Amino acid sequence: MSSMTRPSHYTTSAYPPYGGSSSSTSYGGGSVAGGSAASLKPQSTHAKGATSPVQEEEVDALTNLLVQSMDNAADPEFFGMCADCGLKVVGEGSGCTAMDRVFHIACFTCRVCSCRLQGKPFYAVDGEPHCQECYMNSLEKCCVCSEPILDRILRATGKPYHPQCFTCIVCLLCLDGIPFTVDAANRIHCIDDFHKKFAPRCSVCHDPIMPEPGQEETVRVVALDRSFHVQCYKCEDCDLVLSSEAEGRGCYPLDGRVLCKSCNALRVNALTSTTSTEL
Ligand SMILES: [Zn+2]
Ligand SMILES: [Zn+2]
Ligand SMILES: [Zn+2]
Ligand SMILES: [Zn+2]
Ligand SMILES: [Zn+2]
Ligand SMILES: [Zn+2]
């Protein structure tokens, strides 16, 4: 079994309209709902030297962008370099931020189908944006219900399952975290149903021979090419429970009958006397 964590789910937002040149203007920030995308402000905030401590901190977080863009710092319309095409992002409404990077709106696209993602939910897979549809298509599908697996993948016999789809085919009990076994066709069974279905049958009572509660191994007696519950392996004449390991309780079969030593002797004697009488 293995598990996978889902990539974070982000949304983007375009830059809000730039507020003009007055030093008292609040820019509002280009905040992004959810995820870890940065809240960017036009670089001129720093150039004007009118930043509050909070603004200073946010600007400090953008050191790399600032270094790259010092030449452009005087241009209030400059937002940064596009992480996709490498060209300047200039002018309100032309850029967006996602995954702590700046993109042209036209450059922020799904890496699989190239659809534009600005303003839409997207998924960052190894730092690459994917639209919802492509992301879903890239996920492993549950081998039972064929739906994509968004959260934990339960892997058994090499196949992926939703944990809730991993159930015994007989009793439908969910076997996530519970011991299970498979038949020859790799179908999932709880231990109980597996034994009920496949355990050898006792030749005396015809019930399946299952492990004792709490035990993993089945104990059975095999004699005369037949299987027996330990307690069903008895002399057919006197019901003495037989065992090859107990002194004096060995099996002395006669004509396919399970017999104790003394019942075997009685039958042999009876046969012998009948034979002699007939002679
Ligand atoms: Zn671009
Ligand atoms: Zn796509
Ligand atoms: Zn499923
Ligand atoms: Zn079951
Ligand atoms: Zn039995
Ligand atoms: Zn007996």
Side-chain angles (χ1 to χ4, degrees), residues 61-233:
L62 298 169
T63 303
N64 290 340
L65 282 172
L66 279 173
V67 168
Q68 281 174 28
S69 58
M70 268 309 176
D71 293 349
N72 308 286
D75 182 356
E77 297 281 279
F78 176 73
F79 295 114
M81 308 302 278
C82 174
D84 184 56
C85 70
L87 300 178
K88 292 178 191 175
V89 181
V90 179
E92 67 186 55
S94 65
C96 61
T97 57
M99 305 175 294
D100 294 332
R101 287 180 283 168
V102 177
F103 293 87
H104 289 113
I105 285 173
C107 291
F108 186 58
T109 55
C110 170
R111 286 300 174 262
V112 179
C113 72
S114 300
C115 73
R116 286 196 185 188
L117 293 173
Q118 191 269 319
K120 289 187 201 162
F122 72 96
Y123 294 81
V125 181
D126 297 329
E128 299 286 2
H130 288 66
C131 72
Q132 187 150 7
E133 196 183 336
C134 290
Y135 174 68
M136 291 298 172
N137 287 339
S138 75
L139 293 175
E140 279 200 87
K141 310 286 187 298
C142 170
C143 69
V144 175
C145 70
S146 305
E147 293 296 322
I149 304 174
L150 291 167
D151 290 309
R152 185 162 58 91
I153 297 177
L154 189 156
R155 208 174 288 281
T157 67
K159 287 186 285 184
Y161 294 81
H162 290 116
Q164 71 272 20
C165 290
F166 187 65
T167 55
C168 170
I169 63 156
V170 179
C171 68
L172 305 181
L173 180 76
C174 178
L175 297 175
D176 181 18
I178 295 174
F180 70 95
T181 190
V182 294
D183 64 9
N186 262 348
R187 287 175 303 188
I188 310 299
H189 291 73
C190 69
I191 301 291
D192 244 33
D193 282 323
F194 182 82
H195 284 301
K196 280 180 197 155
K197 223 159 130 180
F198 299 106
R201 298 265 161 179
C202 171
S203 70
V204 175
C205 70
H206 305 293
D207 282 342
I209 304 174
M210 317 240 298
E212 293 297 315
Q215 300 297 119
E216 294 216 334
E217 287 192 9
T218 304
V219 180
R220 64 177 167 139
V221 177
V222 179
L224 311 175
D225 287 330
R226 287 145 60 189
S227 295
F228 302 82
H229 287 113
V230 171
Q231 69 278 14
C232 291
Y233 186 54

Side-chain angles (χ1 to χ4, degrees), residues 15-30 40-45 48 55 75-79 91-93:
Y15 284 102
Y18 176 60
S21 58
S22 160
S23 61
S24 64
T25 302
S26 164
Y27 298 115
L40 290 191
K41 294 182 179 186
Q43 306 303 316
S44 57
T45 303
K48 287 180 201 299
Q55 286 170 315
D75 182 356
E77 297 281 279
F78 176 73
F79 295 114
E92 67 186 55

